[in-house]
């Protein structure tokens, strides 16, 4: 059994989708990130960085004590290796998937997170930030569109953890003011993935409508405005952008 410490964000949905796709038994442990659960000592023991998702695998390969893993990319790689699914066995295939997974982790997720923050949640509009992150988000959509014009899926001809990592972030496109009509290859890929029953089940985990008006406590917990001692770094939501 796997414990999934989870909140309904793109990074959280990556793991619930993967668990459903792999057919692994798991229990959801809700983490209310608007109320600061991620900063509690018991959660920080699981992830010193105070971010979801985290898994605790109580039946790791080879047996032994439960295995705790944080960071969504690391969790995807672990689950792929544990199950032998959605990750190629050949050297070139593995690194194609890994490089696009790292692209999502280092580029698509953070830039869409920053664009979403400054476009949707910042207390005052900062034109430079809106333009800078909006332009970078559009550029990254273009990179993804070019890639999907060459192959059926993000990392090649087969559905992989690279697709699972990218999909929940692309799912935020409407809220962030983008249309997939501008990126037809992404639109084709997005529609195909969204029709997958297991992916839909993964998205259904913990789904809720996010309040458009956040109270002061929620803003403090989500956006890194906690007082000294709260240990919330600036831009806390850049990799945990909430969805509409």
């Amino acid at each position: 059994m796997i414990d999934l410490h989870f909140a309904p964000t793109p990074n959280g949905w990556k793991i619930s989708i993967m668990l459903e796709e792999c057919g692994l038994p798991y229990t959801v442990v809700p983490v209310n990130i608007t109320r600061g659960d991620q900063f509690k000592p018991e959660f920080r023991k699981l992830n010193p960085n105070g971010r979801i998702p985290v898994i605790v695998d109580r039946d790791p390969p080879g047996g032994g004590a439960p295995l705790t893993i944080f960071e969504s990319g690391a969790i995807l790689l672990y689950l792929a290796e544990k199950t032998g699914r959605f990750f190629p066995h050949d050297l070139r295939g593995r690194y194609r998937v890994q490089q696009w997974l790292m692209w999502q982790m280092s580029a698509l997720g953070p830039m869409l997170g920053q664009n979403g923050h400054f476009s949707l949640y910042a207390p005052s509009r900062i034109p430079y930030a809106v333009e800078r992150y909006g332009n970078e988000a559009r550029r990254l959509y273009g990179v993804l569109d070019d890639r999907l014009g060459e192959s059926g899926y993000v990392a090649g001809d087969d559905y992989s953890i690279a697709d699972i990592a990218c999909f929940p972030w692309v799912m935020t496109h409407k809220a962030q003011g983008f249309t997939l009509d501008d990126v037809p290859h992404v639109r084709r890929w997005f529609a195909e993935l969204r029709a997958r029953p297991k992916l839909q089940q993964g998205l259904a985990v913990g789904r809720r409508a996010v309040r458009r008006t956040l109270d002061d406590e929620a803003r403090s917990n989500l956006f890194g405005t906690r007082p000294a001692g709260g240990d919330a770094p600036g831009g806390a939501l850049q990799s945990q952008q909430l969805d509409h």
Side-chain angles (χ1 to χ4, degrees):
M1 180 65 70
I2 291 174
D3 296 337
L4 169 61
H5 296 260
F6 173 90
T9 74
N11 286 339
W13 279 316
K14 290 179 195 177
I15 309 309
S16 59
I17 290 170
M18 181 65 173
L19 289 166
E20 291 289 341
E21 290 276 20
C22 292
L24 289 169
Y26 68 99
T27 300
V28 174
V29 181
V31 181
N32 189 336
I33 60 175
T34 67
R35 291 297 174 254
D37 287 358
Q38 69 273 38
F39 305 120
K40 293 179 179 178
E42 56 268 31
F43 185 82
R44 294 286 295 275
K45 288 181 180 179
L46 301 175
N47 183 358
N49 195 39
R51 297 290 180 270
I52 63 94
V54 175
I55 66 167
V56 180
D57 188 352
R58 301 190 180 280
D59 184 26
L67 178 61
T68 300
I69 304 174
F70 60 87
E71 286 295 328
S72 60
I75 296 170
L76 287 174
L77 285 168
Y78 172 76
L79 295 175
E81 292 178 351
K82 177 183 173 77
T83 61
R85 301 195 65 191
F86 310 118
F87 192 53
H89 298 292
D90 64 289
L91 178 69
R92 288 173 175 79
R94 287 201 309 274
Y95 277 93
R96 274 197 307 272
V97 169
Q98 287 189 52
Q99 67 188 5
W100 283 104
L101 175 63
M102 295 305 108
W103 176 81
Q104 187 283 312
M105 299 290 296
S106 65
L108 186 68
M111 290 302 103
L112 290 182
Q114 294 288 14
N115 179 67
H117 175 78
F118 286 108
S119 298
L120 302 172
Y121 296 106
S124 60
R125 187 172 180 82
I126 305 172
Y128 173 80
V130 172
E131 181 179 9
R132 187 261 187 275
Y133 291 113
N135 287 342
E136 182 63 5
R138 278 185 287 274
R139 185 189 73 81
L140 292 166
Y141 269 110
V143 171
L144 185 59
D145 196 57
D146 289 345
R147 174 57 182 165
L148 290 169
E150 300 171 350
S151 61
Y153 297 98
V154 173
D157 295 331
D158 298 313
Y159 180 65
S160 75
I161 56 174
D163 300 283
I164 293 171
C166 290
F167 181 88
W169 283 98
V170 175
M171 198 171 67
T172 69
H173 67 274
K174 289 183 181 179
Q176 296 206 19
F178 299 113
T179 173
L180 298 187
D181 291 341
D182 297 332
V183 282
H185 302 300
V186 175
R187 183 181 62 202
R188 181 269 307 165
W189 166 87
F190 184 79
E192 181 179 337
L193 265 62
R194 187 150 199 136
R196 294 179 66 93
K198 294 296 184 180
L199 185 145
Q200 292 180 20
Q201 290 174 25
L203 290 177
V205 175
R207 187 100 196 228
R208 61 175 171 75
V210 173
R211 294 166 295 170
R212 288 188 176 276
T213 301
L214 299 174
D215 62 27
D216 289 342
E217 181 184 357
R219 284 187 172 277
S220 174
N221 289 320
L222 292 173
F223 303 128
T225 56
R226 291 167 64 84
D231 285 337
L237 202 64
Q238 73 170 12
S239 61
Q240 294 189 179
Q241 178 64 46
L242 296 174
D243 302 272
H244 292 265

